[in-house]
Amino acid sequence: GYGWLQIQLNTLLPHCRYQPSEWLSDTICRLLDDYEAGGSRLPFFQKAMLVIDEHCGIDGRHIFDQDNKGWKAVPNAIKGVLVPDDDQFTLELALLSTLDGTPSCHIYLLPQEEAGEFFALRTGQYGFCL
């Protein structure tokens, strides 16, 4: 409803020891292709903010450090499709964690200038949360 893209994966990010996870990139590419094949139009942002928010409980964590998670597969999958490039000025990145009993990964892509609105929604400043 905000012109943002939201993808929910019902799993946590994979471990990434040496390279980004191919299944994660492939899954995101397939979801985007299926979305367009269904008649919907994907947004394209000249400058965007990518927010990756993992939901899990303390006991359900598999990887403890953000730098060991395969999040890099996400910007690689959207480059050229939703944003022109994934450099530091075109695509800003936020890695978040939400304490939740149901493991999932929520991926949001929105215009850079709307980051304040995103975080206001996330914290409930508008009376409800994302």
Side-chain angles (χ1 to χ4, degrees), residues 14-82:
H15 196 285
C16 177
R17 292 187 182 176
Y18 304 107
Q19 61 186 8
S21 171
E22 289 183 28
W23 76 260
L24 181 56
S25 292
D26 184 60
T27 298
I28 292 170
C29 288
R30 286 174 189 257
L31 286 170
L32 296 175
D33 288 345
D34 289 350
Y35 184 76
E36 278 190 312
S40 298
R41 185 177 164 181
L42 290 171
F44 191 84
F45 302 98
Q46 290 301 318
K47 293 189 174 203
M49 173 164 225
L50 174 64
V51 179
I52 301 172
D53 185 9
E54 267 197 314
H55 290 228
C56 70
I58 299 294
D59 295 336
R61 297 179 300 172
H62 301 278
I63 309 161
F64 303 105
D65 299 329
Q66 297 286 34
D67 61 333
N68 294 330
K69 296 178 182 179
W71 60 264
K72 292 178 188 174
V74 178
N76 289 340
I78 67 171
K79 180 175 32 176
V81 177
L82 302 172

Side-chain angles (χ1 to χ4, degrees), residues 6-13 23-24 27 31 55 102-107:
Q6 193 261 339
I7 298 171
Q8 179 177 328
L9 304 174
N10 294 326
T11 187
L12 298 176
L13 292 170
W23 76 260
L24 181 56
T27 298
L31 286 170
H55 290 228
T102 305
S104 61
C105 183
H106 299 258
I107 300 166

Side-chain angles (χ1 to χ4, degrees), residues 2 4 49 51 108 110-130:
Y2 300 107
W4 304 345
M49 173 164 225
V51 179
Y108 300 92
L110 53 131
Q112 283 181 1
E113 65 270 10
E114 295 180 17
E117 285 83 359
F118 174 86
F119 287 105
L121 282 170
R122 185 175 191 270
T123 60
Q125 291 180 12
Y126 291 130
F128 61 92
C129 293
L130 289 173

